[in-house]
Amino acid sequence: MDNTIKKIGVLTSGGDAPGMNAAIRAVVRAGFYYNLEVYGIYRGYEGMINNDIRKMDSKSIAHVLERGGTFLKSARSEEFRTAEGRKKAYENIKAIGIDALVVIGGDGSLTGAHLFYKEFGIPAVGLPGTIDNDLFGTDLTIGFDTACNTAIQAIDKIRDTATSHDRLFFIEVMGRDAGFIAINAGIGSAAAAILIPEKKMPVEMLLERLKSREKAKKESNIVIVAEGGKSGGAAEIAEKVRKILPSYDIKVTILGHLQRGGAPSAFDRTLASKLGVSAVEGLLHGKYDVMVGVINNKIVFTPIKRAIVDDKKVDEEELRIANILST
Ligand code: F6P
């Protein structure tokens, strides 16, 4: 055990994700278990720069496990991208005596932790907190399961009206430049097609799919479009199809930020709790500049550099299954 670490700081940064509160709670509780002082840093790296840092006690984390969002709040800090910003942040945490950090967020947030470790030697463990599931080094990220559930519930509702009117819906889901939400929400909602940034689907192929479903007398068609596709979002693709198939009654829905909200699923609460405790234990065992994730149901520490640089591939088997099910 590393006895030099006495005070740790925890922050959430980047886009919030359901389960972040459960992760903060796990970090705080594990910190207390190992007799550490734990400080909550508000609004991510902005709070480090502006010295918005508060000592946590057991009341601070009461009834947060089941809540969406992040009670520590989040931000995408431009100032932390600058050397001066990071220096200010370092001086603030040093003045308090914070020896190590747990950073909960996506690739931008983990990049910040990596830089900070390189520049000032502040040990940091990252937790994958993003609905996008786009981090290498973990099978799943905190928030992804809830976001897929939320998307599917919304798509089910759209299916009702789509079927009533024999309409074709293009539904855009989040994921930045990754198609993980689209694939899972697509399979889970019986989509006619799933368009993701990682794989090109020419418009001709989509039209063919729609035609064959028309022959099979399908009553409604839902096409899931991941937001980061090179051929554009749901609106652009719908427009192309509308021009070629003017007889189709086409509508577009962008699910947007509703996918980030809501109470975390049982899976996300458990994942966040396991990762939060493991992050603190990792720090105490000298695991620095790493992200803690779960691979094949086992806790795994991956250097942050790999987690942010290496490409997380979409699961070809899932794509194959989605194809079989949508034709
Ligand atoms: O990374 C999470 C995410 O929700 C992405 O899916 C999306 O592209 C982005 O954040 C939206 O960010 P913002 O809330 O800053 O618009």
Side-chain angles (χ1 to χ4, degrees), residues 15-16 76 130-132 174-177 181 227 257 260:
D16 60 294
R76 302 189 196 277
T130 167
I131 62 165
D132 301 338
M174 275 188 168
R176 202 177 287 278
D177 44 18
I181 297 180
E227 66 177 348
H257 287 81
R260 285 221 309 241

Side-chain angles (χ1 to χ4, degrees), residues 43-100:
R43 293 181 180 77
Y45 296 114
E46 284 293 295
M48 265 163 91
I49 294 169
N50 301 325
N51 212 9
D52 195 357
I53 302 173
R54 305 172 211 170
K55 194 168 172 197
M56 299 278 108
D57 56 28
S58 51
K59 277 217 185 83
S60 330
I61 47 156
H63 306 298
V64 300
L65 171 78
E66 66 277 23
R67 280 168 44 200
T70 159
F71 82 91
L72 286 181
K73 297 185 181 283
S74 193
R76 302 189 196 277
S77 175
E78 281 308 316
E79 207 180 343
F80 196 77
R81 291 178 196 274
T82 67
E84 303 81 65
R86 291 194 292 278
K87 187 156 179 288
K88 247 198 248 173
Y90 173 70
E91 278 157 9
N92 285 334
I93 65 161
K94 250 352 234 180
I96 299 170
I98 293 174
D99 321 289

